Amino acid sequence: MASVTSLSDSVQQHLASALTATRPEAAGADPLLRRSDRADYQANGILALAKKTKANPRELAAEVVARITTGDELIEDVEVSGPGFLNITVADRAITANLAARLADGERLGVPLKQDAGTTVVDYAQPNVAKEMHVGHLRSAVIGDALRSMLDFTGEKTIGRHHIGDWGTQFGMLIQYLFEHPGELAPAGDVDGEQAMSNLNRVYKASRAVFDTDEEFKERARRRVVALQSGDKETLDLWQQFVDESKVYFYSVFEKLDMEIRDDEIVGESAYNDGMPETARLLEETGVAVRSEGALVVFFDEIRGKDDQPVPLIVQKADGGFGYAASDLTAIRNRVQDLHATTLLYVVDVRQSLHFRMVFETARRAGWLGDEVTAHNMGYGTVLGADGKPFKTRAGETVRLEDLLDEAVQRAAEVVREKARDLTEDEIQERAAQVGIGAVKYADLSTSPNRDYKFDLDQMVSLNGDTSVYLQYAYARIQSILRKAGEVRPAAHPELALHEAERALGLHLDAFGTTVFEAAAEYAPHKLAAYLYQLASLYTTFYDKCPVLKAETPEQVENRLFLCDLTARTLHRGMALLGIRTPERL
Ligand code: ARG
């Protein structure tokens, strides 16, 4: 299905042909159309064209204006302003007719499909086995899930990879500790996922303490890693128990997050174990990696640490063990060669950006990442507490993700209870879950991913301001109006003159397709969030200024209901792309 041309695209095309007609030698010149507060749009492209063709910009602008058709079909009025800008006012008729086409477009609401769609492997939501999830794992899950939906919606094929930490030194430590302290871990099946998880967490801490203080234990733990990596049965069995219990736990947290995680996409570090020796061999044979003090490492001229010493990427340790880098390098071979990825996207804490720089560079040198494959680490910032320091409990401990989510839902329940008094307790809990989890996701997604943000539940569930609750209320309010309208159906009436607030809302609705498309391409969910917030604000103004069910004529009632309807559908779609629900009633 061909996508609907937005009004701004039509205006842009009209201007481009006027430019070409005026200066045929400059065919293809960009009119540079932008929304403007002086008029509906402003076009600044004439300045560049004037420079190029050595013309006087204002005179050139006047020539272009003479070639623009005005009337009630598309452009109502165009004026030259400033040094040679064009201020453009579009016709009310054009706004309404275009929005009607968008509604007729069904689910897509005018969002174009990518021409050259490829396959993006999205590496996100990667907690660590035998460890509890904390607020740090929230961002990767929430951002990754939103980016994935957005990319899918523009036609890109996405494959998820949850590169869970289920391999490496810490398992040697953990398994060795359990061998030496039998009885510390309850037999599998005796406890539920959450209990097993807190057991594992306790054992993890205990083993860590020994590991950090006892050199001999450290050595035994190192040997245990080698046993694990070479497939020793006893070791592997205990390891598998951790993994299974941890997965049960992960699923319960992701469910709380209202996020679907597929089992076949949980492909942790261990999955690349068998390929790691080959990765090392290939790197060594091609000279990309070299032996240094027994270890196999890759050096980079530009990456240096203290004292200007080069910082290497360690592919294989001197004791033969493979680590984090080896699994990531092997994963790249798999994702490019077997999954045929054209883009590798890693939604991982910005503190790992150096790791990814080195891994990508190594893979490029080895020829595993060709020119046709893009690799990108969408490094996100830290979640901060009210004090501006990394988020911790009052006692200074890491906050468990489940506790945090439970608290958000509890706060949301207060808000919901306050607003709607005639609900049953079950209804309150259901809505509270959608409001509370939505609030947490939105607070995360509405900040540019690379920035830190403060985790502030009071602000997150506030009804005023840039919050998901505000957007959810706008949506629910529209649904209530549509219900009240009863038999009267929304219908577009392009012949009607529009109120200023209707025009502003309509022009913003027109930008949905471009916004989603660009936000997906730029991996910028916050741009979609900002768009939706502005949509809800413009809707609020419209609702204050323009009576809907009590409008002057039946046509005007229908046309305003139509604007309500399209706004609701746009909010619903946009929020869904961010992974946030829009309850029908609140
Ligand atoms: N499990 C890792 C951590 O918690 C994140 C994994 C990121 N993905 C990757 N391919 N390295 O730090």
Side-chain angles (χ1 to χ4, degrees), residues 151-174:
L151 288 168
D152 279 336
F153 198 62
T154 58
E156 179 79 359
K157 178 182 169 198
T158 64
I159 300 176
R161 278 295 176 264
H162 308 292
H163 197 87
I164 59 171
D166 60 358
W167 213 234
T169 331
Q170 68 272 33
F171 292 94
M173 173 183 95
L174 205 48

Side-chain angles (χ1 to χ4, degrees), residues 108 110-116 150-151 153-156 511-524 528 577:
R108 299 209 59 79
V111 177
L113 282 167
K114 235 173 130 181
Q115 296 292 316
D116 50 351
M150 288 161 63
L151 288 168
F153 198 62
T154 58
E156 179 79 359
F512 184 62
T514 333
T515 304
V516 171
F517 198 79
E518 287 176 4
E522 295 169 22
Y523 304 141
L528 176 55
L577 290 175

